[in-house]
Amino acid sequence: MKDYIYQFYNEGFATTFYLKPIKYLKKHIKNKSLVKFLSISIKIIYTILMIIIAYFTFKNQYPIE
């Protein structure tokens, strides 16, 4: 399970939508609590975005009629 979570946040779309913003925040913001809050927020937004994309992909692949 740990491998799947790692892949979800470190491969594919995650490099653009999750890893790059997190690295940018860690580099430019010195406040650790703010960085932690923003990284959790970005993680939540990324997860919701991927669930929405998966839903529409599944809906287009297998339409219910």
Side-chain angles (χ1 to χ4, degrees):
M1 183 69 174
K2 189 176 183 179
D3 294 333
Y4 293 124
I5 293 171
Y6 177 82
Q7 286 179 346
F8 184 70
Y9 288 108
N10 293 308
E11 295 178 1
F13 285 119
T15 56
T16 304
F17 296 116
Y18 178 71
L19 287 178
K20 286 182 182 179
I22 297 298
K23 288 180 183 178
Y24 180 82
L25 289 175
K26 287 181 180 178
K27 185 186 272 187
H28 290 93
I29 298 177
K30 301 297 182 199
N31 188 350
K32 297 289 183 183
S33 62
L34 181 61
V35 170
K36 187 174 183 179
F37 172 75
L38 291 174
S39 66
I40 290 171
S41 300
I42 291 171
K43 185 181 269 191
I44 290 170
I45 291 169
Y46 171 72
T47 304
I48 291 171
L49 177 69
M50 289 301 114
I51 290 171
I52 291 170
I53 290 172
Y55 170 75
F56 283 114
T57 303
F58 182 77
K59 186 177 174 183
N60 288 337
Q61 189 70 26
Y62 303 105
I64 298 173
E65 292 185 25

